Amino acid sequence: MNPKPSVLVTRTLPAAVEARLAKDYQPRFNEDDRLYTTEELLAFAVDMDALLICHTEHMSAAVIERLPHTVRVIANYSVGVDHCDLDAARRRGIVVTNTPDVLADATAEITMLLLLAAARRASEGERLMRAGTWDSWSPAFMVGTQLTGKPLGIIGMGRVGQVTARRARGFDMTVHYFNRRRLPEELEHGARFHESLDTLLPVSEFLAVHCPSTPETENLINADCLAQLPDGAVFVNTARGSVVDEDALLEALRSGRLAAAGLDVYKNEPRVRPEFAALDNTFLLPHIGSATKETRDAMGFRALDNLDAVFAGAEPRDRVA
Ligand code: DGY
């Protein structure tokens, strides 16, 4: 009988996922969940058949070129694969997979949380309560922007964008979207397709980004784009920080052009620019779009299904390289 394939698991995963790994593979776990340096990762990868990594592991071309020849597959515990140089993996003949579909509900929930919290000034209110400094009520006190019935622009109408659209309809929002391709009509549920951002942005009193991070989407949300939004718009991002020009966003928030922003992702995580926290009109979360028990388990099982397929000699369902 062949020995079970060995897997370097770079971060601590949910118990049920680690149990399945222990049953079917020879895993090397990261028990204290310490972020490995590149040199540690490369040293631990020696003789491994597979890597099971998160977006916190930066698999640049230089790192991939130095991986041992035993490594056949990099299974990502993430839907985003911008941390992985896919061309470099292809050159090395290493299969790369991700975990699509299973994050959509959790991430759309966080999108709704950001929309509501940014629009209704939740951060300001919460800080007041925690500081014990709330001392009066008046009709002008903490007046925010109402979501109900307003237009929501969605950039990127993949799985997360589509679930966000569904949730937003619960608030009677009218959905507009920009996507590389128009969705089939039965998936649009009345959402209006825009062929360019030039027509989407001027109607987007609320704007949510759900596109992947690619060279084409880098700094997509820049000063020009923000200037096209209606005055007092609300912007939220649960996709990737690289999609936003953070200088331009800070300027739009400071000037009041944007009423507020809700952010879960940033350019240089976890070192977020302190200017965001210094503003009252931001609501900030630490990249927790997929952080529910259900979703984190599902991501792990999906990553393991991909590994199982590779070691069974089959095509993994979520192959990206
Ligand atoms: C993803 O899956 O891309 C999430 O951002 C967590 O990594």
Side-chain angles (χ1 to χ4, degrees):
M1 206 173 88
N2 288 335
K4 293 176 183 174
S6 53
V7 185
L8 173 63
V9 186
T10 57
R11 304 302 302 266
T12 302
L13 297 180
V17 177
E18 292 203 344
R20 186 169 142 189
L21 267 159
K23 179 170 71 64
D24 298 337
Y25 293 91
Q26 296 181 68
R28 182 189 201 284
F29 290 127
N30 179 352
E31 267 151 35
D32 52 10
D33 201 25
R34 190 171 54 79
L35 200 60
Y36 294 150
T37 64
T38 299
E39 293 312 314
E40 283 174 327
L41 186 146
L42 288 167
F44 298 149
V46 169
D47 291 338
M48 289 288 164
D49 297 307
L51 308 184
L52 178 36
I53 67 167
C54 294
H55 79 268
T56 46
E57 279 68 66
H58 298 286
M59 305 301 285
S60 64
V63 175
I64 289 182
E65 271 150 29
R66 291 177 61 201
L67 284 175
H69 287 278
T70 48
V71 173
R72 290 174 54 189
V73 47
I74 299 173
N76 282 289
Y77 182 87
S78 67
V79 62
V81 286
D82 49 306
H83 56 286
C84 239
D85 191 316
L86 301 183
D87 287 334
R90 280 185 202 106
R91 283 196 297 276
R92 285 283 318 267
I94 297 174
V95 173
V96 181
T97 61
N98 71 341
T99 59
D101 304 325
V102 294
L103 290 86
D105 287 328
T107 308
E109 282 183 6
I110 289 289
T111 304
M112 294 312 295
L113 174 63
L114 294 181
L115 285 167
L116 286 163
R120 300 301 301 273
R121 303 174 59 175
S123 177
E124 277 175 86
E126 228 253 345
R127 273 178 285 144
L128 211 61
M129 297 307 289
R130 284 183 188 270
T133 50
W134 178 38
D135 57 5
S136 70
W137 185 94
S138 79
F141 177 61
M142 288 215 35
V143 173
T145 307
Q146 192 155 310
L147 258 75
T148 304
K150 299 275 176 63
L152 168 68
I154 296 180
I155 299 181
M157 201 56 149
R159 301 164 189 89
V160 183
Q162 289 177 47
V163 180
T164 296
R166 220 179 299 147
R167 303 292 173 259
R169 278 185 207 103
F171 283 86
D172 296 332
M173 298 186 92
T174 50
V175 179
H176 296 251
Y177 74 100
F178 169 75
N179 199 42
R180 272 172 306 176
R181 273 184 301 277
R182 184 171 181 167
L183 295 182
E185 208 178 324
E186 65 274 16
L187 293 183
E188 281 184 328
H189 301 288
R192 182 160 157 227
F193 173 63
H194 291 254
E195 276 175 16
S196 98
L197 289 182
D198 292 338
T199 59
L200 177 86
L201 296 170
V203 298
S204 298
E205 290 180 41
F206 290 81
L207 181 68
V209 185
H210 291 301
C211 57
S213 165
T214 64
E216 295 74 43
T217 60
E218 188 167 358
N219 291 330
L220 180 71
I221 306 299
N222 55 24
D224 283 350
C225 156
L226 293 167
Q228 289 187 67
L229 291 170
D231 267 342
V234 173
F235 169 71
V236 304
N237 186 8
T238 53
R240 282 289 186 267
S242 64
V243 171
V244 175
D245 174 342
E246 293 187 337
D247 283 324
L249 178 59
L250 283 164
E251 177 46 35
L253 287 164
R254 283 194 196 107
S255 70
R257 277 273 306 124
L258 276 187
L263 306 173
D264 184 47
V265 288
Y266 309 85
K267 262 211 158 72
N268 191 20
E269 296 174 10
R271 281 173 293 282
V272 176
R273 291 179 62 167
E275 295 102 305
F276 283 117
L279 288 170
D280 272 341
N281 55 350
T282 55
F283 180 81
L284 308 173
L285 293 177
H287 198 145
I288 55 166
S290 62
T292 65
K293 183 177 176 341
E294 295 84 346
T295 293
R296 289 284 159 88
D297 280 353
M299 289 165 72
F301 297 140
R302 188 84 174 225
L304 289 184
D305 291 347
N306 287 319
L307 280 184
D308 293 352
V310 170
F311 290 108
E315 183 66 9
R317 175 176 177 189
D318 306 313
R319 183 172 185 163
V320 290

